[in-house]
Amino acid sequence: MNNSVGNTGRVLWAGLRALLVLTLVCGVLYPLAVTGVAQLTMPGKANGSEIEDASGKVVGSELIGQTYLLPLKDGEETAAPDLRWFQPRPSNGLGTNSVNTRYKLILSGATNRSGDNEDLIEWVTDAKAAVVEDNSVAGYTVEPSDVPADAVTSSGSGLDPHISPRYAKLQVHRVAERNGLTVAQVEKLVADHTEDRVLGFIGEPRVNVLKLNIALKAAVAAEG
């Protein structure tokens, strides 16, 4: 019996030592090493790809979309878009917080509805009508056929920070009018912030909405 107890004790002690060693290596040393290498080699990405405005204030991440909405009025369930700004893709996954009122993650995910789902069809139809109405200004009328898919559908995650150059250009006249800029000025902002395909062939050209709106804010300030 004594031998049995002794063997059991040795097995337990060996298991405990293995647990402590593995916890130290995998739970402490390895994470510290990975974090240290990341901070040394790519600190920007390691810290969340943060974006700062002209004043140096962190206003978001280039990897996560934001909404640009007016304050919610009494009786409203959904805030209206602030049409001074370029608008992102539709998303129910973004809201507000106390640090940046346009930057908070509530949830991430797609609708998981099929293309013939009645609710989805209604949402897309309503979204297209709103895009046409919001972006049609004096001397520039948006036709339903002008509205790209990303203007009326969310991404798979609901957090896409980019829009297509086509959607950005569709918003140019409205943004120019609302901010007292010329169409040419705003078109240049879009052109300057249009990113090409990765390595020239991966993905599609895209525009980061947050970066574009930061540049727009600076342009408006320069005019003022």
Side-chain angles (χ1 to χ4, degrees):
M1 180 176 292
N2 289 336
N3 289 338
S4 178
V5 172
N7 290 335
T8 301
R10 284 192 291 271
V11 170
L12 290 175
W13 174 236
L16 179 59
R17 282 185 298 176
L19 174 63
L20 292 174
V21 170
L22 289 173
T23 299
L24 178 63
V25 173
C26 299
V28 179
L29 298 180
Y30 178 73
L32 286 176
V34 171
T35 301
V37 171
Q39 289 291 341
L40 288 173
T41 59
M42 51 184 76
K45 292 182 178 180
N47 292 320
S49 298
E50 295 174 334
I51 296 179
E52 298 178 352
D53 62 13
S55 68
K57 178 183 177 181
V58 174
V59 294
S61 167
E62 67 176 298
L63 304 177
I64 302 174
Q66 298 192 28
T67 55
Y68 295 83
L69 305 173
L70 294 170
L72 193 65
K73 297 179 181 178
D74 291 339
E76 284 186 339
E77 294 184 0
T78 304
D82 188 341
L83 297 179
R84 295 174 301 166
W85 304 103
F86 283 93
Q87 294 296 310
R89 298 184 67 166
S91 174
N92 293 324
L94 304 173
T96 60
N97 65 26
S98 60
V99 177
N100 180 349
T101 58
R102 296 190 177 95
Y103 187 60
K104 176 186 176 183
L105 303 185
I106 298 175
L107 60 90
S108 170
T111 62
N112 290 327
R113 286 173 167 81
S114 63
D116 60 355
N117 179 270
E118 293 183 0
D119 289 337
L120 180 61
I121 292 172
E122 182 179 356
W123 295 341
V124 170
T125 301
D126 291 345
K128 179 176 286 191
V131 170
V132 169
E133 179 181 359
D134 290 344
N135 291 284
S136 293
V137 299
Y140 179 76
T141 301
V142 177
E143 300 294 338
S145 58
D146 298 331
V147 180
D150 63 302
V152 296
T153 58
S154 65
S155 63
S157 68
L159 307 177
D160 191 349
H162 299 100
I163 56 176
S164 65
R166 182 180 172 190
Y167 186 30
K169 292 173 183 176
L170 182 147
Q171 302 184 60
V172 162
H173 288 76
R174 182 253 300 162
V175 169
E177 181 183 83
R178 296 271 177 160
N179 289 283
L181 300 174
T182 67
V183 170
Q185 285 176 300
V186 181
E187 285 178 334
K188 186 176 187 306
L189 290 177
V190 172
D192 290 345
H193 290 82
T194 298
E195 304 171 31
D196 200 0
R197 294 176 174 87
V198 178
L199 301 178
F201 67 94
I202 300 175
E204 295 293 331
R206 61 208 178 279
V207 180
N208 187 288
V209 180
L210 175 57
K211 290 181 178 179
L212 178 58
N213 279 331
I214 291 174
L216 171 63
K217 183 178 181 180
V220 172
E223 289 292 314

